[in-house]
Amino acid sequence: MKIKFKHQAFQAEAAKAVCDVFSGQPKITPTYLIDRGLIEKKDRQITFGDGSLIDEDYIDTTGYRNGKIEISENDILKNLQTIQRNLQIEPSRELEGTYNLSIEMETGVGKTYTYIKTMYELNKRYGFTKFIVVVPSVAIREGVYKSFQLTEDHFAEDYGKKIRYFIYNSKHLYNIDQFANDSGINVMIINSQAFNARGKDARRIYMELDSFRSRRPIDVIAKTNPILIIDEPQSVEGPVTKEALTKFNPLITLRYSATLRKNETYNMIYRIDALEAYNKRLVKKIAVKGISVTGSTGTEGYLYLEGLNFSTISAPTATLEFEVRGKNGLRKVTRNVSEGYSLYENSGGLNQYKGYTVSEINGLTNMVSFINGVSVAAGEVRGFTDEEQIRRIQIRETIKSHLERERVLFHKGIKVLSLFFIDEVAKYRQYDDSDVPQNGNYAEIFEEEYRSEVENLKSSLKDDEYLKYLNGINAEETHQGYFSIDKRSNRYVDGTAKGKEDISDDVDAYDLIMKDKERLLDLREPVRFIFSHSALREGWDNPNVFQICTLKMSSSEVRKRQEVGRGLRLCVNNNGERMDANVLGDDVHAINVLTVIANESYDEFARTLQSEMAEAVADRPRVVDAGLFEGMIITGVNGVEQVIDPALARKINNSLVRNAYLDDNGALTDNYYDDVKAGKFSLPDDLVEYSTSITGILNEVYNPDTFKPEDARKANVDLHIIDDKLEMKEFKSLWKRINSKTAYIVDFDSEELITRSIAHLDRNLKVQKIFYRVESGAQKDTIADKESIVNGESFEKNESESALTEAKANSAVKYDLIGKVAESTKLTRRDVAEILKGIKKSTFDQFRNNPEEFIIKTSKLIDEQKATVIVEHIEYNLLENKYDTGIFTEPFLKRGTLGKNAVPAKRSLYNYIVTDSDTERKFAEELDKDKNVAVYVKLPNGFYIDTPVGKYNPDWAIAFYEGSVKHIYFVAETKGNLSTMQLREIESLKIHCARAHFKRISSDFVKYEVVTDYNRLLTEVMK
């Protein structure tokens, strides 16, 4: 299997931001340099073009170097500030350090991919070829090297060239000569210990070495003027390393991290932090199974409530673990119990369970109550327990969660992995006197619990394929360890022994976990559970880690955010395709869920994680007021931009207050989030077209609930298909009319696109001129103290002397305008040339005002017309293939929470309806009450229509009883607001395509409509 990489807008935007800082810099061919040393003369000579001679061994350094930065620091600062304002980052007042830029990217969004892309872009635009990636550890170094390998072909397709990359090794210094003497893009990957740690090997980089022609490696590297890329600078840049980094003589320094220290951000140029990554669905959603230990209930009786189970066809049950009397003493058993179940009777008469008869199973509180007044919450342990029992529960819960997720994702071709963090290697692996490895306690418990849980699952499985998969893997081969190894004893160690290395004592295990992601992601590879100490906290991740279990005591040294970071990356299927919004749409977080099995209660874990996330976004605004909007740029649906002045800022803020979107403290309310999700976000009529921009600004505001993980135990409802409904003649008739697959074709004249694009550009292209604000000031007559000088408070601005000066675009910079627009829009150069020739002179003259913005906005407006033309000319043709009812019968399609998003159903194909919004919940409730409805179903993700703008999955399919309505068969899309301004452009295009699809497959037998509520549906079916 080979992991496939996609072009993601935010990664391209981050690379562009870095390049745009140096906008105006000419593209320079790498300079070949020769330094002449004074070494003992030998017989060999070199003749230069000017006729001069030099002995070959006089040459101290040869190679290529990056070209110098030729634009002024003042121009760089202006570029930097413009980019920062556009990206809503506080502008830098001055360049902090020489050409130092910081890029903040949340763990799991593709930081390494982004800086590799940035290297290619810097080479393409400016000719830079020498790069050094500095990392804090061997583990991260190996991960970075692997990323270069994985992305090699992907980037070669995009840029027509490959990077030559290598890991620095003081014993292989020939790589440095190749690095210097190759004119292509070259990258050296080096961990900081290789140049700042003590010891002979670390010092070799600064030594004149006979094996390196009496040169110092650092001198050869420094002569190339490399661009430094520091990966995780907060872990790299101690005082010693900072000083050492200057010896590399960097041209530019780029810092990439998810956790940049605020006082070391150095000209922040791009940010996609934890808040933005989650809101944009670029990382997994987090769910938590907490284990809450409560003191003795007054007896020594043990009791653990695993969870609650609900069904519309039987009474609710609870899964309880308790002790029973056996022939050889007490043993623990797990039983599904219902109201009236007596633990005393079923334990063999153990006195500690007297009075423990179940009186209530409450799905709203997720608790079980007994007639003696005791109540137990899901995930709670009561009575006498020891640490081993808690760890056993955690291991069992991890295996259960793994199997539940695996059972769903197996059919989607997605391998599921689980990761255990442990506090002591000996608990996983021990050694006898002959150093033969044996299972430790955790490994023994894992194998026992794995066999038990798999057997329990097999008894309920009807799925031959998944059952065959489980039967093909035994407990012993499905777990593996990754720990440091003591080279002297060749044993796993806890990471404190001298001579340790971050590798496994099993070379194959090390390669599998650290180097061979593809094999670990293959369903044919039996390893699915990985045990680790500290080595996997950083440097290694795998997109298909879905469970993380912390089998150790909490420590301030290991933060929750660091632990969950190992599993945040979006998963991939067995074709290497990432399961992101492009594939799954709004259901990214239905598939991509990271479940943490914590060694503490859910509340404790959630509170700590939220606190750590709050620290990570500390510079985000905390409240909404008029000041939040003032000075921001908002864009209308036609692409026209407007700067928010104080009056407009107050108007927007007052509208939010009137609609109860803000509470008394200026915090966004649930009402705001519900309306946005349901498409009902309300604004004054003259601001509706700016709704996307305004919600974008509001999304910048920190909301602690964004990071509140889901309580995994509260998903207590499983969806099951009702076989009788599946066999109803009304459903069969409905399904027969909508299960056809289609393929679309688009046939349009390019002249039409050219004509429409010209008119669209003349009407809507508005390019802002570049202005510099010139402000004057003078030193104060009196200065309070020394600190005021340091803080810049000894000067005051003369507001009356402020003036705006129009800036001119740098005429020395040459732009391939037609080529850039053609590249962005995927049109031919001829068509782009015709469009640009056709627009008005006043429209084209805006290019001189701001060339970069002209190119971006022109491309966007042409793309809008291209999408519209495509959709207007789209036709669907029937295919022979049809959807099978198997898409409805996938096990564990979706889980819900009773009383929250799970609605019991009588007329649905399923026992419950799990809804995503208040609009859907109300719609489903009305459907279920209507006696004229024969059967309905919330269509699964597997049912979709192909469109030029992505897959489209309609919401509902409904069959009415014959004679009750005019349109018996109906497919509905529920939206909170039908205003065309409120519907996103891509949604409108998909809806247009859906109408064409259903018209083609069913003529007038099936009606497709977008509705706001059930009354609107009834209006449509009666027409």
Side-chain angles (χ1 to χ4, degrees):
M1 185 196 70
K2 187 174 183 179
I3 296 177
K4 297 175 183 177
F5 293 90
K6 299 176 182 177
H7 299 101
Q8 302 201 70
F10 74 94
Q11 292 169 332
E13 188 178 46
K16 183 178 183 300
V18 172
C19 292
D20 285 352
V21 172
F22 304 97
S23 185
Q25 164 80 6
K27 184 173 182 178
I28 303 173
T29 303
T31 306
Y32 191 77
L33 61 91
I34 296 179
D35 285 351
R36 304 181 180 190
L38 296 174
I39 304 175
E40 182 183 352
K41 186 173 180 179
K42 300 291 174 72
D43 293 333
R44 292 170 295 172
Q45 292 185 322
I46 294 174
T47 304
F48 292 95
D50 60 4
S52 62
L53 299 175
I54 187 170
D55 291 315
E56 183 178 309
D57 289 301
Y58 275 32
I59 297 172
D60 187 28
T61 304
T62 64
Y64 290 88
R65 69 182 176 198
N66 286 325
K68 294 180 180 178
I69 301 294
E70 296 195 359
I71 59 173
S72 69
E73 288 195 5
N74 190 45
D75 285 340
I76 290 174
L77 179 59
K78 289 169 184 174
N79 289 339
L80 172 67
Q81 291 169 337
T82 299
I83 297 162
Q84 289 170 325
R85 288 191 186 98
N86 288 337
L87 295 174
Q88 299 180 5
I89 296 170
E90 184 179 352
S92 300
R93 296 184 179 181
E94 60 183 7
L95 284 178
E96 302 162 312
T98 305
Y99 314 141
N100 280 272
L101 302 175
S102 295
I103 301 92
E104 183 177 351
M105 303 193 80
E106 175 63 1
T107 300
V109 302
K111 168 167 52 73
T112 311
Y113 177 101
T114 302
Y115 63 65
I116 296 174
K117 183 176 181 66
T118 302
M119 294 176 192
Y120 274 105
E121 286 295 319
L122 286 169
N123 173 260
K124 180 180 177 181
R125 287 177 62 168
Y126 306 123
F128 299 136
T129 60
K130 305 300 178 186
F131 300 88
I132 296 177
V133 179
V134 182
V135 299
S137 68
V138 172
I140 293 182
R141 186 192 71 191
E142 294 293 337
V144 168
Y145 186 78
K146 182 63 181 178
S147 293
F148 272 92
Q149 289 180 317
L150 292 175
T151 59
E152 189 172 34
D153 292 338
H154 167 77
F155 283 120
E157 289 177 9
D158 283 352
Y159 294 94
K161 61 179 71 174
K162 288 188 177 184
I163 289 176
R164 180 185 171 273
Y165 53 92
F166 69 98
I167 292 175
Y168 169 81
N169 186 322
S170 63
K171 297 174 183 177
H172 301 152
L173 296 178
Y174 60 86
N175 281 322
I176 294 177
D177 266 333
Q178 291 176 337
F179 174 80
N181 283 283
D182 188 272
S183 62
I185 308 176
N186 283 261
V187 178
M188 180 173 79
I189 307 165
I190 185 170
N191 50 297
S192 57
Q193 296 87 347
F195 60 85
N196 74 355
R198 296 177 180 177
K200 182 179 179 181
D201 286 344
R203 290 198 302 269
R204 281 172 62 85
I205 198 169
Y206 302 112
M207 296 170 62
E208 291 185 358
L209 302 169
D210 292 339
S211 61
F212 200 53
R213 294 163 51 199
S214 299
R215 297 171 299 171
R216 299 197 317 161
I218 191 65
D219 292 335
V220 176
I221 295 168
K223 290 291 184 182
T224 67
N225 290 120
I227 293 175
L228 281 189
I229 292 176
I230 305 179
D231 194 326
E232 305 295 351
Q234 75 285 351
S235 300
V236 168
E237 292 188 300
V240 175
T241 312
K242 268 191 175 182
E243 176 62 28
L245 287 170
T246 64
K247 294 181 172 61
F248 286 91
N249 189 29
L251 180 70
I252 301 167
T253 300
L254 306 177
R255 293 170 167 83
Y256 289 80
S257 178
T259 52
L260 287 165
R261 296 191 185 105
K262 191 170 184 180
N263 62 338
E264 295 184 359
T265 52
Y266 300 106
N267 306 309
M268 177 74 75
I269 192 61
Y270 190 80
R271 176 180 68 187
I272 184 158
D273 60 17
L275 179 67
E276 192 169 2
Y278 184 83
N279 285 339
K280 290 184 175 180
R281 294 169 300 177
L282 301 175
V283 292
K284 287 193 182 90
K285 177 182 179 180
I286 301 172
V288 177
K289 277 187 174 181
I291 310 294
S292 176
V293 181
T294 303
S296 174
T297 62
T299 72
E300 292 300 305
Y302 165 82
L303 187 61
Y304 170 54
L305 175 57
E306 184 180 298
L308 278 60
N309 319 291
F310 291 90
S311 168
T312 54
I313 57 175
S314 61
T317 64
T319 303
L320 282 169
E321 184 179 42
F322 56 97
E323 293 178 324
V324 299
R325 194 193 306 276
K327 292 181 180 178
N328 300 315
L330 300 182
R331 60 187 177 90
K332 292 180 175 67
V333 298
T334 301
R335 299 285 185 267
N336 283 343
V337 307
S338 55
E339 291 182 8
Y341 189 93
S342 169
L343 297 189
Y344 174 72
E345 293 177 4
N346 286 280
S347 67
L350 293 177
N351 288 331
Q352 56 262 42
Y353 293 122
K354 280 187 176 180
Y356 278 85
T357 298
V358 177
S359 61
E360 183 185 29
I361 298 173
N362 191 322
L364 299 178
T365 61
N366 226 26
M367 299 183 76
V368 170
S369 299
F370 299 92
I371 61 173
N372 61 1
V374 173
S375 294
V376 184
E380 186 178 355
V381 182
R382 283 179 171 263
F384 178 77
T385 59
D386 56 21
E387 183 180 343
E388 181 178 317
Q389 183 58 33
I390 299 301
R391 303 300 176 232
R392 180 178 288 274
I393 290 172
Q394 285 184 268
I395 291 171
R396 180 193 308 154
E397 292 284 11
T398 303
I399 295 168
K400 287 174 70 72
S401 291
H402 179 107
L403 294 174
E404 286 174 3
R405 181 119 314 244
E406 186 174 71
R407 188 175 179 182
V408 177
L409 300 187
F410 173 80
H411 298 278
K412 300 180 184 298
I414 299 173
K415 171 86 174 282
V416 174
L417 301 174
S418 293
L419 177 59
F420 293 95
F421 285 114
I422 70 175
D423 51 0
E424 242 184 291
V425 170
K427 293 180 179 177
Y428 175 73
R429 181 60 45 83
Q430 295 186 347
Y431 299 85
D432 63 17
D433 295 338
S434 303
D435 278 342
V436 175
Q438 298 174 334
N439 276 346
N441 190 33
Y442 288 167
E444 285 293 328
I445 292 173
F446 170 83
E447 291 179 9
E448 292 170 11
E449 293 292 335
Y450 178 82
R451 293 188 188 98
S452 175
E453 291 302 325
V454 167
E455 286 304 312
N456 290 338
L457 181 60
K458 285 179 180 179
S459 64
S460 62
L461 274 180
K462 299 177 182 178
D463 188 335
D464 292 338
E465 283 302 310
Y466 181 54
L467 185 58
K468 182 179 178 181
Y469 174 72
L470 285 181
N471 287 333
I473 302 174
N474 62 50
E476 293 79 11
E477 65 179 355
T478 202
H479 66 97
Q480 187 57 268
Y482 174 74
F483 304 96
S484 296
I485 179 178
D486 186 339
K487 291 187 289 186
R488 296 172 301 181
S489 64
N490 203 37
R491 293 184 177 192
Y492 282 159
V493 294
D494 289 329
T496 56
K498 292 182 179 180
K500 69 180 179 63
E501 290 183 351
D502 286 338
I503 61 173
S504 166
D505 63 351
D506 182 339
V507 174
D508 185 60
Y510 172 71
D511 287 343
L512 177 67
I513 294 167
M514 290 301 297
K515 293 186 175 182
D516 198 353
K517 283 185 180 180
E518 300 97 318
R519 181 157 65 96
L520 190 55
L521 287 167
D522 194 320
L523 285 164
R524 292 170 295 185
E525 166 57 50
V527 173
R528 294 136 75 213
F529 299 85
I530 297 167
F531 287 79
S532 173
H533 195 265
S534 59
L536 290 188
R537 291 182 203 158
E538 57 182 19
W540 178 91
D541 60 16
N542 191 293
N544 288 18
V545 171
F546 285 94
Q547 284 74 226
I548 290 178
C549 178
T550 52
L551 292 172
K552 58 187 183 60
M553 300 302 293
S554 295
S555 166
S556 59
E557 295 176 4
V558 184
R559 296 164 67 81
K560 299 285 185 290
R561 190 172 173 222
Q562 192 179 27
E563 288 178 347
V564 301
R566 297 310 96 216
L568 285 181
R569 195 176 296 273
L570 297 180
C571 67
V572 300
N573 63 14
N574 54 7
N575 293 320
E577 184 178 20
R578 198 166 301 280
M579 298 291 99
D580 57 15
N582 294 323
V583 177
L584 301 174
D586 291 336
D587 288 321
V588 173
H589 284 159
I591 295 292
N592 287 285
V593 181
L594 172 66
T595 302
V596 179
I597 294 82
N599 56 351
E600 58 194 308
S601 73
Y602 163 78
D603 288 335
E604 289 174 309
F605 187 96
R607 185 167 55 249
T608 305
L609 180 62
Q610 283 177 291
S611 174
E612 291 179 11
M613 290 295 194
E615 290 177 22
V617 294
D619 57 342
R620 291 271 186 172
R622 290 312 204 249
V623 297
V624 179
D625 56 22
L628 176 70
F629 301 99
E630 194 172 331
M632 292 292 190
I633 298 173
I634 52 177
T635 307
V637 291
N638 59 0
V640 176
E641 293 181 346
Q642 179 174 352
V643 179
I644 302 176
D645 60 22
L648 184 55
R650 287 193 298 272
K651 182 176 181 179
I652 295 171
N653 197 68
N654 290 339
S655 172
L656 298 175
V657 172
R658 283 195 303 274
N659 286 291
Y661 293 152
L662 299 179
D663 63 20
D664 293 339
N665 297 316
L668 291 165
T669 62
D670 289 342
N671 195 40
Y672 164 77
Y673 291 104
D674 291 343
D675 277 9
V676 169
K677 187 173 183 179
K680 297 192 297 182
F681 179 55
S682 180
L683 284 170
D685 291 343
D686 58 335
L687 291 177
V688 167
E689 65 170 307
Y690 299 107
S691 60
T692 300
S693 288
I694 291 171
T695 55
I697 294 170
L698 291 170
N699 285 341
E700 291 287 307
V701 179
Y702 168 69
N703 173 17
D705 286 339
T706 300
F707 300 122
K708 188 172 185 179
E710 183 181 271
D711 187 346
R713 297 184 187 281
K714 288 193 174 180
N716 48 28
V717 169
D718 287 331
L719 286 187
H720 297 293
I721 201 163
I722 307 300
D723 292 334
D724 290 347
K725 294 286 194 301
L726 194 64
E727 296 301 318
M728 284 180 68
K729 66 176 184 179
E730 289 84 0
F731 178 77
K732 288 183 175 180
S733 184
L734 168 67
W735 186 238
K736 182 179 178 180
R737 286 170 168 80
I738 68 172
N739 70 348
S740 295
K741 293 185 179 182
T742 58
Y744 66 83
I745 57 171
V746 180
D747 183 18
F748 68 89
D749 185 354
S750 62
E751 294 303 318
E752 179 186 356
L753 174 59
I754 292 170
T755 301
R756 295 178 67 152
S757 295
I758 291 170
H760 195 50
L761 286 167
D762 282 336
R763 187 168 55 248
N764 297 308
L765 181 60
K766 298 288 185 293
V767 177
Q768 286 190 327
K769 294 181 179 180
I770 302 174
F771 287 97
Y772 300 146
R773 180 176 292 276
V774 179
E775 298 175 324
S776 62
Q779 198 163 20
K780 294 178 181 178
D781 294 333
T782 58
I783 301 175
D785 51 33
K786 184 179 178 181
E787 262 188 43
S788 65
I789 300 176
V790 175
N791 297 330
E793 297 168 0
S794 61
F795 280 78
E796 60 185 351
K797 190 188 301 179
N798 298 326
E799 295 290 346
S800 60
E801 296 182 16
S802 294
L804 287 175
T805 301
E806 184 178 336
K808 300 295 183 184
N810 190 336
S811 60
V813 181
K814 304 301 180 186
Y815 290 91
D816 178 10
L817 174 58
I818 293 174
K820 287 288 186 183
V821 176
E823 180 183 4
S824 178
T825 60
K826 304 296 186 291
L827 296 180
T828 64
R829 291 180 67 95
R830 175 201 165 275
D831 287 348
V832 171
E834 289 298 316
I835 292 170
L836 294 177
K837 282 196 302 183
I839 61 178
K840 295 175 182 176
K841 183 178 183 300
S842 58
T843 304
F844 186 80
D845 283 347
Q846 296 180 83
F847 173 71
R848 296 183 179 88
N849 297 337
N850 192 332
E852 298 283 354
E853 186 172 322
F854 182 94
I855 292 169
I856 292 169
K857 289 189 172 180
T858 295
S859 301
K860 178 184 175 185
L861 291 170
I862 292 174
D863 274 338
E864 287 176 4
Q865 288 307 298
K866 188 173 76 169
T868 302
V869 169
I870 286 173
V871 169
E872 287 180 1
H873 291 269
I874 198 166
E875 290 183 12
Y876 280 89
N877 290 327
L878 278 171
L879 300 176
E880 292 185 4
N881 294 340
K882 295 180 182 294
Y883 284 106
D884 186 82
T885 53
I887 66 170
F888 297 108
T889 57
E890 287 185 0
F892 298 100
L893 263 172
K894 205 167 186 179
R895 302 194 79 193
T897 301
L898 193 67
K900 183 180 178 183
N901 67 337
V903 181
K906 296 181 295 183
R907 305 180 193 278
S908 169
L909 199 63
Y910 297 104
N911 55 340
Y912 284 86
I913 289 292
V914 176
T915 59
D916 297 321
S917 67
D918 189 53
T919 299
E920 284 191 356
R921 181 184 59 78
K922 291 177 181 177
F923 188 82
E925 288 174 345
E926 293 296 328
L927 266 176
D928 216 60
K929 292 175 186 175
D930 192 338
K931 294 181 180 179
N932 291 324
V933 174
V935 63
Y936 68 95
V937 64
K938 184 105 166 28
L939 289 165
N941 293 330
F943 183 92
Y944 62 85
I945 300 163
D946 278 317
T947 81
V949 287
K951 294 175 181 177
Y952 168 64
N953 169 229
D955 284 336
W956 308 90
I958 307 157
F960 291 87
Y961 284 113
E962 197 167 342
S964 62
V965 294
K966 183 175 180 180
H967 297 282
I968 298 173
Y969 308 109
F970 204 94
V971 176
E973 178 77 18
T974 44
K975 295 289 182 189
N977 193 310
L978 295 185
S979 165
T980 55
M981 293 292 191
Q982 294 281 26
L983 285 179
R984 291 180 298 173
E985 182 181 358
I986 194 167
E987 290 178 318
S988 297
L989 295 176
K990 286 182 177 181
I991 287 167
H992 182 98
C993 292
R995 295 189 198 282
H997 163 84
F998 283 111
K999 187 171 184 63
R1000 179 65 184 86
I1001 68 170
S1002 65
S1003 186
D1004 293 326
F1005 284 105
V1006 175
K1007 185 163 186 178
Y1008 168 83
E1009 274 300 335
V1010 182
V1011 298
T1012 53
D1013 53 34
Y1014 194 64
N1015 287 334
R1016 182 66 179 264
L1017 172 74
L1018 293 179
T1019 301
E1020 294 295 336
V1021 298
M1022 293 298 183
K1023 283 184 179 178

